[in-house]
Amino acid sequence: SPPSPPKPPSPSPKPPRPKVALPSNPDVLDVWILAGQSNMAGQNANDGQPMPSPCGDPMPGQMLMFGKTNRKWTDARPSAADQSNGCFECLNELGPEMQFARSLLENKLSYRVGLVPTAVGGTSLIVNWKPGKAGDPSTGPQWLDMVSTVRDAMKQAGPNARLRGMLWIQGETDASIIVGFWGALEYGSNLYKFLLAVRKEFAEFHPQLPVVITKMAIKNRDKSFPHIAIVRDSQEGVMRALPSLIATDMEGKEFYWQDMGRDLGGVQWIHLSKNGVCQMGQEMYEQYVASGEQYVRPDE
């Protein structure tokens, strides 16, 4: 009789699920770090638009934020960055985090979402966000602020908190004449080191923290940020080099015109409008879901 045909190879085993699980009960708080500069914080009070609904609407008891000044968890509201810094009457600006969190909640990926705003407008990766230790004068002040704020937020949130990831929108300052051409060329190396340091710093909360990174838009922005194409290319390179980075794109989102003066490029698209940050937050959510970085663990 003819020999039996060879058996097909066994399928490769599925990779193990991450230790940090998507919650399946309402006691869990999914915590997200908000880091970067003004387009993460939201700087659009003067865009001429009303606060969009439902994008900018609070979700009391479900969408929370941690304040840097009062060190407390409260219901998240628009102008989260200003609120975090103690300006509780500031309600006329909006970042992408509220639409991102709303989509997580409405689609049942989370029962409760905790936002930790640490973004500050005008900050650079090369100086302000440089990782290091307290007491080292070369360490970036925003790095130290983020680390202490996130650690306090997780402590205050208690044992049911899960650090799920980071939203990162940053790059304009490193693309500006302030940092210069040679500084912009270092952006890829600096971003790579920064992301490794973030994961090492918060490894006790997540074995490989996912980071949603927004690539810089170039259209109508390259006069104010002459090296922005270098920064964007560097962001794409780092996303190819490290796992668990989730790419989103600022290009194509709605900006509003701002006059920066002759020395800084004149009239340009500097900041996303309120509608633009809602578009950005929705894309962040959609790409996070598409990445597969969210999992359900049966025992939670």
Side-chain angles (χ1 to χ4, degrees), residues 25-291:
N25 71 73
D27 295 327
V28 173
L29 179 68
D30 282 345
V31 177
W32 287 84
I33 306 167
L34 315 178
Q37 54 183 112
S38 55
N39 275 307
M40 182 70 250
Q43 193 164 319
N44 39 41
N46 298 317
D47 65 355
Q49 297 177 359
M51 187 60 64
S53 180
C55 173
D57 296 340
M59 298 180 72
Q62 292 182 278
M63 190 192 303
L64 308 177
M65 60 163 284
F66 187 77
K68 288 196 293 183
T69 53
N70 63 11
R71 273 349 202 208
K72 293 181 180 179
W73 284 100
T74 58
D75 288 327
R77 301 194 295 171
S79 298
D82 292 329
Q83 297 272 326
S84 177
N85 287 315
C87 183
F88 302 114
E89 70 277 10
C90 297
L91 292 169
N92 57 352
E93 294 186 310
L94 185 65
E97 70 283 343
M98 290 195 69
Q99 180 60 44
F100 176 78
R102 172 173 291 277
S103 292
L104 290 174
L105 293 163
E106 289 182 343
N107 291 284
K108 302 294 189 278
L109 268 73
S110 298
Y111 283 92
R112 296 190 302 151
V113 174
L115 305 170
V116 184
T118 66
V120 177
T123 52
S124 70
L125 181 58
I126 198 170
V127 175
N128 302 97
W129 290 94
K130 184 179 179 182
K133 300 292 185 182
D136 183 343
S138 70
T139 302
Q142 264 59 62
W143 169 266
L144 295 174
D145 178 68
M146 177 187 68
V147 169
S148 66
T149 303
V150 171
R151 290 194 169 277
D152 282 356
M154 295 300 292
K155 182 179 180 180
Q156 292 267 357
N160 287 324
R162 302 287 185 271
L163 185 59
R164 299 298 300 166
M166 170 189 279
L167 306 184
W168 173 258
I169 304 181
Q170 196 279 334
E172 289 95 342
T173 299
D174 294 79
S176 70
I177 59 173
I178 297 170
V179 172
F181 173 74
W182 296 108
L185 287 180
E186 295 180 26
Y187 191 86
S189 173
N190 291 335
L191 182 59
Y192 186 89
K193 293 174 184 175
F194 171 78
L195 293 170
L196 290 180
V198 166
R199 287 178 170 169
K200 181 178 180 181
E201 180 67 40
F202 300 126
E204 67 195 86
F205 303 118
H206 196 298
Q208 186 166 275
L209 193 70
V211 182
V212 182
I213 298 179
T214 296
K215 295 186 288 186
M216 291 288 98
I218 297 174
K219 182 180 178 181
N220 294 326
R221 309 182 84 216
D222 54 343
K223 291 181 181 178
S224 290
F225 310 118
H227 312 303
I228 201 158
I230 295 173
V231 169
R232 181 183 171 94
D233 288 346
S234 298
Q235 290 171 332
E236 292 177 341
V238 171
M239 290 178 199
R240 291 190 294 268
L242 288 175
S244 300
L245 301 183
I246 300 152
T248 59
D249 202 333
M250 194 185 286
E251 204 74 78
K253 308 304 184 292
E254 184 181 291
F255 287 80
Y256 65 104
W257 295 103
Q258 293 175 266
D259 190 347
M260 303 304 291
R262 179 183 295 181
D263 293 342
L264 294 177
V267 180
Q268 290 271 274
W269 285 356
I270 306 299
H271 295 111
L272 294 163
S273 67
K274 294 182 186 71
N275 289 334
V277 296
C278 294
Q279 295 167 347
M280 196 73 255
Q282 182 62 22
E283 183 176 311
M284 288 173 145
Y285 162 76
E286 290 172 357
Q287 293 304 312
Y288 172 62
V289 172
S291 73

